[in-house]
Amino acid sequence: MDIIERVKKTIRKYSMLSAGDHVLLGLSGGPDSVCLLTILHRLNEPGIDLSAAYIDHGLRPHETQDEIEFCADICNSMNIQFITGHIDVKAYAKEKGLSKQEAARELRYDALCGIAAEKGANKIALGHNADDQAETVIMRLLRGAGPSGLSGIPPVRVIGGKQLCIIRPLLETERVEIEKFLGNEGIGFIVDSSNLKHEYLRNRIRHTVIPGIKGINKDFINTILRTSDIFRDEERYFDLLVTKTLMKLISRKTDSAIELFSGPLEVMDTVLLRRVLRRAIDETKGLRAIGFVHIEDILHLIKSGDSGDRIYLPKGIRVIKGYSTLIITSEQPVRLSAYTVEVPGELVLKESFMVVRSAVIDIGESKDRGDGKNNALIDADKVSLPLTIRGRSDGDFFYPAGFGKRKKLQDYFVDEKVPRDERDAIPLLISGNDIAWVMGYRMDERYRVAKDTKRVIKFEIKPMKI
C-alpha cells in the first residue's frame, strides 16, 4: 500500500474529514508536516479548505527565519494560506515550573487553537507518525503509565465540546515511509536541530532504544500500534463510566486543586478508582505532574490513611485526606500575615480561618486557667505592648508550658506531628520578640499566670464562620 492510500485509510478509519471542514495544519517545515501538507493537498477532498500555520517557539532564533521562509514558499506553491504565530516558551516554562518540552507543547496547542478560531478552522491537522506513537508509548511505560497512558497519542481528539478537533492522519504511517515518499517526489524539508540532541528523552528513545528493539522485532512499530489500539478501545469503554462516577464525586474544583468526597472513594473498586483519580488529575491543570506511581500512593492514602494524613508529591503537589473529602492541590500553603492585637477586642485571622477574642480581667474573675490551646490566660504585667500575631520565622523558639526548657518551634511542630504545609498558617502571639503562645497548641511558660499575678489577658480562639 502506498503512503497516500495508507493516509486515506487512516482518515476514513477515524472519520477525520468531512465536507465543509476547514483544516489548519501545523507546519514546522520538518518531514512529517511537509509530507502531511503535500498529501492533504493532493487528496483535494471536495468541500475542504486547507491552511497552514508555523509557530515560532523563540528557542532557535538563528534557524527560525529560514524555516518560516521555507514554509511560506511551499504553501505559496500550493496556493495554501500561510499564517505565523509566536510563543515565549522560556518565559512560560519558568512561570509554570515546566520543562521546555512541556511548555512548548502547551503553548503550541494554545496558539494553534487560537489561530483556528481566528480563521474559522474546525480541524487542526498534526504530523505525528507511527514512530512518534511508539516513542510516546515507551516514554509513558518508562514513567509507569497505566492502560490509559499506554493507549498513546489519540488519532482524533476533541477540544472544547465539538467545536474543534485535532486530527493526526499520519499516525499509522512510519517515518521511513514518509522520508521515502519525500525523497521519491523530490520534496525538500528542514531538519530541526533540537531533534538530534540526545539530552531529550524522546530523542534517546528514537536514536538508541527503538533501533535496539527492532533488532529483536523488526515489525516493532506496528506491534506498538496494534497494542495501543487495543488499549484505546478499552479506554472508550471505561471513559463513560469514569465520567458518570466523577460527576458525583467532585466537591470543589479550581485550576490548581480538586476536592473529592472520600466516602465513595474508600469503597470503590481499585480498577475504577485508579481511573477516576487519573481523570480528576488530568482535568486539573496544576496537577499534571502526577504520574502512575503517585496514583498508587494516593490509592494507599485513600484505602489505609486516617483523617488528616497527607502525602507530598513532586512540584509542590499535596494530597490531604480530610474527614469527608480528599484534597489534591498544587496551591502554595497559606502563610499568615502579621496582625496587631487590640486588647480588649476581636481580631479575624483570615488565613487561619479563626477569630481571636481578648479581654483584660482581674485574676479573681477567672474561674479557670484555660487549656492553653483554644483558651489562654496570660499575665498582663509580663507582656510588652502592643501584642502582635504572626506566622513562624526562621530561628523561632519558645519555652513550652510544663516543659521548662527552651525548644525550637520547628522541633516542637515535628514532635506534635503538625503537617508541614499547615505550619506557616499557625498563629503565634508575640510579646516583644518572644512567643507568648503558639495558638491552638501551647502557651509559653514565661507568660503563664503565677501566684503573684494580679491582672490577666484572657484569649479565646474560635473557628471563623464562612
Side-chain angles (χ1 to χ4, degrees):
M1 182 185 303
D2 70 20
I3 189 171
I4 294 180
E5 286 302 314
R6 186 182 299 281
V7 172
K8 287 173 67 176
K9 181 181 177 182
T10 301
I11 290 172
R12 288 194 298 267
K13 178 179 177 181
Y14 297 105
S15 302
M16 291 182 174
L17 297 175
S18 56
D21 282 344
H22 180 171
V23 180
L24 175 70
L25 188 142
L27 184 63
S28 66
D32 303 328
S33 61
V34 169
C35 176
L36 181 57
L37 181 73
T38 303
I39 290 176
L40 290 183
H41 178 254
R42 289 189 184 180
L43 287 177
N44 195 25
E45 295 284 346
I48 293 177
D49 292 329
L50 182 61
S51 54
Y54 175 95
I55 307 299
D56 175 10
H57 296 66
L59 297 175
R60 297 176 293 105
H62 57 289
E63 299 178 14
T64 298
Q65 191 55 43
D66 288 341
E67 292 175 356
I68 291 175
E69 291 176 3
F70 173 84
C71 292
D73 288 344
I74 195 170
C75 286
N76 288 337
S77 70
M78 299 179 187
N79 198 27
I80 291 173
Q81 183 185 23
F82 177 65
I83 310 106
T84 58
H86 304 273
I87 55 179
D88 190 342
V89 172
K90 288 182 179 178
Y92 186 76
K94 184 176 180 180
E95 176 190 349
K96 300 295 182 180
L98 302 172
S99 69
K100 283 195 293 186
Q101 289 69 41
E102 290 172 321
R105 181 182 181 278
E106 286 191 15
L107 288 179
R108 182 168 59 249
Y109 278 96
D110 287 346
L112 287 171
C113 288
I115 294 172
E118 181 183 337
K119 299 299 179 180
N122 64 321
K123 301 282 176 69
I124 296 174
L126 301 179
H128 296 103
N129 59 47
D131 293 66
D132 293 321
Q133 181 73 290
E135 293 158 10
T136 298
V137 171
I138 292 173
M139 288 173 65
R140 293 179 180 178
L141 183 63
L142 291 174
R143 290 170 178 165
S148 178
L150 297 179
S151 66
I153 306 169
V156 176
R157 181 161 70 92
V158 178
I159 298 176
K162 294 185 178 180
Q163 302 304 311
L164 183 63
C165 286
I166 291 177
I167 61 173
R168 298 178 171 92
L170 294 180
L171 202 58
E172 296 179 326
T173 303
E174 293 188 48
R175 185 173 291 121
V176 65
E177 297 177 81
I178 292 169
E179 293 175 353
K180 181 180 177 181
F181 169 75
L182 294 175
N184 290 342
E185 297 291 326
I187 300 171
F189 57 85
I190 291 176
V191 176
D192 182 341
S193 62
S194 64
N195 289 337
L196 304 176
K197 295 179 180 179
H198 279 234
E199 63 191 79
Y200 301 131
L201 175 59
R202 180 178 290 275
N203 290 348
R204 293 201 299 274
I205 291 171
R206 176 178 300 172
H207 299 299
T208 305
V209 177
I210 289 182
I213 296 176
K214 282 184 173 180
I216 301 170
N217 176 7
K218 64 180 181 181
D219 199 34
F220 170 70
I221 299 297
N222 284 319
T223 301
I224 285 287
L225 289 182
R226 290 192 295 270
T227 302
S228 63
D229 278 346
I230 292 170
F231 280 127
R232 200 177 304 115
D233 286 342
E234 293 183 352
E235 283 306 297
R236 290 192 193 98
Y237 171 79
F238 280 105
D239 191 57
L240 184 58
L241 179 60
V242 169
T243 299
K244 291 179 178 179
T245 303
L246 186 58
M247 287 174 62
K248 300 174 184 177
L249 289 173
I250 296 177
S251 168
R252 183 180 66 90
K253 183 179 180 296
T254 67
D255 280 347
S256 55
I258 189 164
E259 186 174 306
L260 306 172
F261 295 114
S262 58
L265 296 176
E266 292 171 2
V267 298
M268 190 177 296
D269 185 90
T270 301
V271 173
L272 180 59
L273 176 56
R274 190 179 284 120
R275 291 170 180 270
V276 167
L277 289 172
R278 181 76 267 168
R279 172 77 70 78
I281 288 163
D282 285 346
E283 293 185 0
T284 308
K285 194 171 184 179
L287 303 180
R288 292 174 187 167
I290 295 179
F292 180 76
V293 65
H294 306 129
I295 295 289
E296 297 304 296
D297 292 337
I298 299 172
L299 283 172
H300 185 264
L301 177 66
I302 292 170
K303 297 291 187 180
S304 305
D306 296 322
S307 178
D309 286 351
R310 61 200 65 207
I311 55 176
Y312 300 93
L313 303 177
K315 298 191 177 180
I317 295 172
R318 295 164 288 136
V319 187
I320 305 159
K321 185 175 183 180
Y323 177 73
S324 61
T325 59
L326 181 82
I327 301 170
I328 311 174
T329 179
S330 62
E331 295 171 354
Q332 290 297 309
V334 173
R335 181 169 184 81
L336 188 70
S337 302
Y339 296 85
T340 299
V341 181
E342 298 289 342
V343 180
E346 182 175 285
L347 179 64
V348 176
L349 307 180
K350 58 182 183 298
E351 299 93 345
S352 302
F353 296 98
M354 64 174 62
V355 178
V356 182
R357 297 190 179 98
S358 62
V360 180
I361 61 175
D362 290 332
I363 188 64
E365 297 178 45
S366 174
K367 296 181 180 179
D368 64 67
R369 299 297 172 91
D371 60 10
K373 294 184 177 180
N374 298 316
N375 300 277
L377 294 183
I378 292 178
D379 191 319
D381 295 316
K382 292 180 180 177
V383 298
S384 299
L385 299 177
L387 294 171
T388 59
I389 291 175
R390 63 166 172 81
R392 63 174 177 162
S393 295
D394 290 341
D396 274 343
F397 65 89
F398 77 124
Y399 292 78
F403 184 68
K405 296 180 181 179
R406 168 174 160 158
K407 193 177 186 71
K408 290 182 179 178
L409 184 63
Q410 169 69 15
D411 294 342
Y412 176 76
F413 283 156
V414 171
D415 292 345
E416 292 293 312
K417 296 182 172 57
V418 179
R420 65 175 184 253
D421 54 311
E422 293 182 2
R423 295 172 190 173
D424 285 336
I426 292 175
L428 307 174
L429 181 67
I430 305 298
S431 169
N433 293 318
D434 298 337
I435 295 175
W437 181 24
V438 181
M439 302 173 73
Y441 288 87
R442 192 176 296 193
M443 283 185 57
D444 186 289
E445 181 71 32
R446 296 168 293 177
Y447 293 88
R448 293 178 75 182
V449 171
K451 290 181 180 180
D452 60 349
T453 299
K454 296 178 181 179
R455 295 182 311 128
V456 297
I457 304 175
K458 181 179 181 180
F459 284 97
E460 180 184 24
I461 55 177
K462 296 283 188 181
M464 185 172 69
K465 293 181 180 180
I466 302 175

